[in-house]
């Protein structure tokens, strides 16, 4: 139970079984709440250190912060649970840049956006919770609604964003490029980030898919990404990780064949539990795509391609689901079939990629850049969770105070699937509304916890 009295009252009210929207609207809001932050004054603390040695436990703090002012088109949400994403890692180690530059730039765009430019950054790009207040102009959502939030923040004042909101020039990732994120007891979102919380999931399960599920949906399934179809062979790097655990499910649910790459037998086992059969343990098979820092080894690309053909009955890859970046990109371009697609949303191991362009142009392959998802895609991804077609891949849950440790685990690749964080929820397993549907999918929901 939070020590903050007004916050305790708020929690009691939102968890009361027979509460109404009017009860929540009439609630006295607390003046402050606890939030996971990084501080502007800390941004030099890891200077000169190797990326791997930078420790999120040293930079992430839990602060008591004031409730932000609510603007038009916005909602304040009581956060029951959130999750750690890789952007939590990037923020906490101040790479590739400290996030305060994003907040300053955003702050310059309007008097309302100026609220975001603070000496502390409340981070987090996922939440499941209850709407507390809505600002002027919000009609689709009411206080008391149980929601999840996707992390696309857009202004849509320019024509550019009106075909695909990801193309808005003022597109930002909430909780990474904006303040007042989800790793907190109260978050500020735009109302067009809200989506219904799937009733068969607990708070922490509902918060877990958010960012990665929507990203994987656009990257692999959407026409804005690879437009996967039945029968495609999909090479999925990090297939039991945040993005990969959803990409694997999309491939299986969509009639494609995932070829899952992982780095341990335990992770291979998780992929098998999801239903994948073609699995490559990159550690056991010891692929070394780089001879040294500057030189790749095409023989290793070939060995990797041969292994893929063994697993697919001689077929090549239609779609590569890329995110490791520099380390794997040359191999990814090589193993893609003639006319196939490499779709990339990240460069965890380095963003200056190198590949042999002859394999790309002579074989008419294409590289598709993709980033998060528009509201429609995020909605569809959440809808598939709500229908029990795609499941959360939550492996472990931490408290708000333990977010540093949770982020450290993700940074060190010690985690499986997704790592959850409880905010106001006093324990795990709460918030389930549809027990019947839950019972039907329980094994799948718990898959990442049982291994
Ligand atoms: P994650 O949970 O850490 O999973 C990534 C997995 O990739 C790891 O578990 C690891 O699996 C594999 N991997 C890591 N380094 C590798 C390497 N050098 N070679 C081969 N495989 C490697 O992280 P995530 O949430 O999936 O995010 C992955 C990346 O995507 C991050 O950089 C993140 O910032 C980015 N991202 C971008 C967007 C976007 O919208 N643009 C959205 C989400 C995430 P194994 O050890 O089992 O192989």
């Amino acid at each position: 139970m939070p020590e903050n009295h007004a916050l305790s009252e708020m929690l009691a009210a939102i968890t009361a079984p027979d509460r109404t929207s009017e009860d929540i609207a009439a609630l006295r809001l607390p003046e402050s709440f606890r939030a996971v932050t990084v501080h502007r004054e800390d941004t030099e603390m890891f200077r000169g250190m190797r990326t791997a040695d930078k420790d999120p436990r040293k930079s992430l703090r839990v602060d008591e912060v004031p409730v932000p002012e609510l603007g038009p088109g916005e909602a304040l949400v009581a956060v029951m649970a959130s999750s750690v994403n890789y952007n939590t890692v990037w923020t906490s180690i101040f790479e590739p840049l400290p996030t305060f530059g994003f907040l300053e730039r955003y702050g310059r765009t309007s008097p309302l956006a100026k609220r975001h430019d603070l000496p502390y950054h409340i981070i987090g790009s996922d939440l499941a919770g209850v709407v507390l207040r809505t600002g002027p102009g919000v009609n689709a959502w009411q206080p008391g609604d149980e929601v999840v939030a996707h992390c696309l923040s857009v202004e849509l004042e320019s024509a550019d964003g009106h075909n695909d909101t990801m193309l808005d020039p003022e597109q930002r990732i909430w909780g990474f490029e904006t303040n007042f994120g989800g790793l907190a007891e109260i978050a500020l979102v735009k109302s067009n980030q809200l989506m219904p919380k799937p009733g068969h999931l607990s708070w922490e399960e509902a918060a877990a898919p958010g960012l990665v599920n929507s990203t994987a949906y656009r990257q692999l399934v959407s026409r804005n990404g690879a437009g996967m179809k039945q029968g495609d062979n999909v090479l999925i790097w990090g297939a039991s990780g945040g993005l990969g655990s959803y990409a694997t499910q999309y491939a299986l649910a969509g009639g494609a064949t995932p070829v899952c790459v992982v780095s341990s037998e335990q992770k291979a086992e998780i992929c098998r539990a999801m239903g994948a059969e073609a699995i490559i343990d990159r550690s056991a098979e010891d692929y070394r795509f780089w001879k040294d820092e500057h030189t790749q080894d095409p023989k290793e690309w070939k060995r990797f391609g041969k292994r893929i053909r063994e697993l697919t009955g001689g077929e090549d890859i239609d779609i590569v689901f890329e995110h490791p970046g520099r380390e794997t990109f040359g191999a990814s371009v090589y193993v893609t079939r003639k006319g196939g697609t490499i779709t990339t949303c990240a460069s965890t191991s380095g963003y200056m990629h190198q590949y042999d362009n002859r394999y790309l142009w002579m074989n008419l392959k294409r590289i598709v850049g993709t980033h998060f998802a528009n509201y429609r895609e995020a909605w569809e991804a959440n809808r598939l969770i709500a229908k029990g077609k795609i499941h959360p891949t939550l492996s472990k849950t931490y408290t708000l105070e333990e977010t540093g440790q949770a982020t450290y685990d993700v940074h060190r690749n010690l985690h499986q699937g997704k790592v959850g964080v409880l905010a106001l929820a006093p324990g795990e397993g709460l918030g389930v509304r549809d027990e019947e549907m839950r019972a039907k999918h329980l094994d799948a929901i718990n898959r990442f916890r049982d291994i």
Side-chain angles (χ1 to χ4, degrees):
M1 210 55 158
E3 282 168 28
N4 178 333
H5 187 63
L7 208 71
S8 306
E9 263 179 32
M10 186 185 87
L11 180 58
I14 58 183
T15 51
D18 49 358
R19 63 167 172 77
T20 63
S21 175
E22 290 73 28
D23 295 339
I24 306 299
L27 257 181
R28 182 170 63 102
L29 286 192
E31 281 173 11
S32 64
F33 62 96
R34 289 179 319 143
V36 179
T37 62
V38 284
H39 286 213
R40 195 194 299 268
E41 74 213 31
D42 289 342
T43 54
E44 295 296 315
M45 72 192 293
F46 299 132
R47 182 172 276 280
M49 289 170 74
R50 287 180 339 129
T51 297
D53 296 334
K54 298 178 182 176
D55 187 341
R57 294 172 299 189
K58 301 211 163 98
S59 54
L60 292 181
R61 309 195 193 191
V62 177
D63 291 327
E64 191 76 24
V65 293
V67 175
E69 181 198 338
L70 179 66
E74 295 179 339
L76 282 171
V77 181
V79 182
M80 302 305 279
S82 182
S83 89
V84 171
N85 281 298
Y86 215 91
N87 73 11
T88 324
V89 176
W90 296 126
T91 309
S92 70
I93 62 174
F94 309 110
E95 283 196 26
L97 294 164
T99 48
F100 290 94
F102 303 142
L103 304 184
E104 279 163 35
R105 226 168 299 135
Y106 189 23
R108 284 197 293 270
T109 62
S110 77
L112 204 61
K114 185 83 186 117
R115 288 170 304 167
H116 291 259
D117 183 10
L118 295 169
Y120 59 86
H121 183 186
I122 304 172
I123 64 172
S125 299
D126 282 320
L127 71 71
V130 179
V131 174
L132 291 171
R133 291 279 190 280
T134 55
V138 177
N139 302 302
W141 302 94
Q142 313 294 332
D145 285 348
E146 297 190 347
V147 293
V148 292
H150 71 75
C151 63
L152 172 62
S153 167
V154 283
E155 308 302 324
L156 291 179
E157 288 192 295
S158 144
D160 299 22
H162 281 261
N163 269 348
D164 173 7
T165 46
M166 279 305 296
L167 299 183
D168 186 29
E170 298 298 332
Q171 175 270 317
R172 293 181 172 79
I173 299 298
W174 161 74
F176 179 59
E177 294 163 295
T178 80
N179 218 319
F180 313 121
L183 284 161
E185 291 169 329
I186 294 180
L188 180 74
V189 298
K190 292 186 189 269
S191 68
N192 60 14
Q193 288 177 244
L194 297 174
M195 308 188 289
K197 171 191 168 286
H200 67 298
L201 300 178
S202 67
W203 295 113
E204 64 281 6
E205 290 161 356
L211 183 151
V212 283
N213 181 38
S214 305
T215 306
Y217 180 86
R218 180 178 175 113
Q219 183 168 355
L220 191 55
V221 180
S222 168
R223 274 173 294 185
N224 289 319
M228 183 190 76
K229 62 181 187 337
Q230 292 184 33
D232 281 348
N233 292 318
V234 183
L235 182 75
I236 301 170
W237 292 103
S240 73
L243 287 170
S245 57
Y246 293 90
T248 300
Q249 293 187 69
Y250 281 118
L252 289 164
T257 302
V259 178
C260 296
V261 187
V262 290
S263 63
S264 71
E265 178 47 33
Q266 193 190 26
K267 292 180 172 191
E269 194 48 49
I270 290 176
C271 294
R272 277 183 216 110
M274 283 191 283
E277 290 171 6
I279 296 161
I280 297 176
D281 181 339
R282 67 182 171 102
S283 299
E285 296 177 25
D286 197 21
Y287 294 102
R288 292 169 193 239
F289 300 131
W290 292 81
K291 286 190 219 171
D292 59 49
E293 217 181 299
H294 308 288
T295 327
Q296 295 201 60
D297 185 352
K299 281 205 199 89
E300 284 292 274
W301 300 345
K302 285 185 183 142
R303 183 163 75 91
F304 186 55
K306 190 162 169 265
R307 178 76 181 115
I308 290 169
R309 285 183 178 170
E310 276 170 22
L311 292 167
T312 57
E315 295 179 349
D316 288 330
I317 291 297
D318 297 278
I319 301 167
V320 181
F321 187 85
E322 245 295 335
H323 50 89
R326 182 172 172 82
E327 193 136 336
T328 55
F329 207 81
S332 292
V333 171
Y334 178 78
V335 301
T336 304
R337 69 176 288 180
K338 204 165 182 161
T341 304
I342 302 98
T343 174
T344 173
C345 76
S347 292
T348 314
S349 65
Y351 48 78
M352 296 303 275
H353 294 186
Q354 212 183 75
Y355 62 90
D356 186 333
N357 201 34
R358 291 170 298 179
Y359 292 112
L360 190 88
W361 98 69
M362 292 298 285
N363 294 308
L364 302 108
K365 306 178 189 185
R366 58 186 193 130
I367 296 171
V368 174
T370 176
H371 185 40
F372 188 60
N374 61 38
Y375 193 8
R376 180 73 211 130
E377 290 160 336
W379 188 281
E380 196 59 28
N382 184 56
R383 179 173 156 262
L384 289 163
I385 298 274
K387 282 177 155 310
K389 305 241 180 220
I390 302 291
H391 303 287
T393 61
L394 187 67
S395 58
K396 202 168 175 183
T397 305
Y398 291 83
T399 61
L400 213 53
E401 289 75 15
E402 294 166 335
T403 305
Q405 182 62 45
T407 309
Y408 173 90
D409 290 357
V410 175
H411 185 27
R412 290 289 159 94
N413 200 13
L414 301 172
H415 67 302
Q416 325 283 0
K418 286 287 305 184
V419 174
V421 175
L422 296 178
L424 285 168
E428 293 183 42
L430 304 170
V432 176
R433 295 276 179 192
D434 186 344
E435 292 288 358
E436 198 181 323
M437 177 164 171
R438 182 177 182 78
K440 206 165 127 197
H441 296 292
L442 201 56
D443 286 350
I445 295 167
N446 285 330
R447 217 154 33 197
F448 276 64
R449 289 183 182 267
D450 293 346
I451 292 179

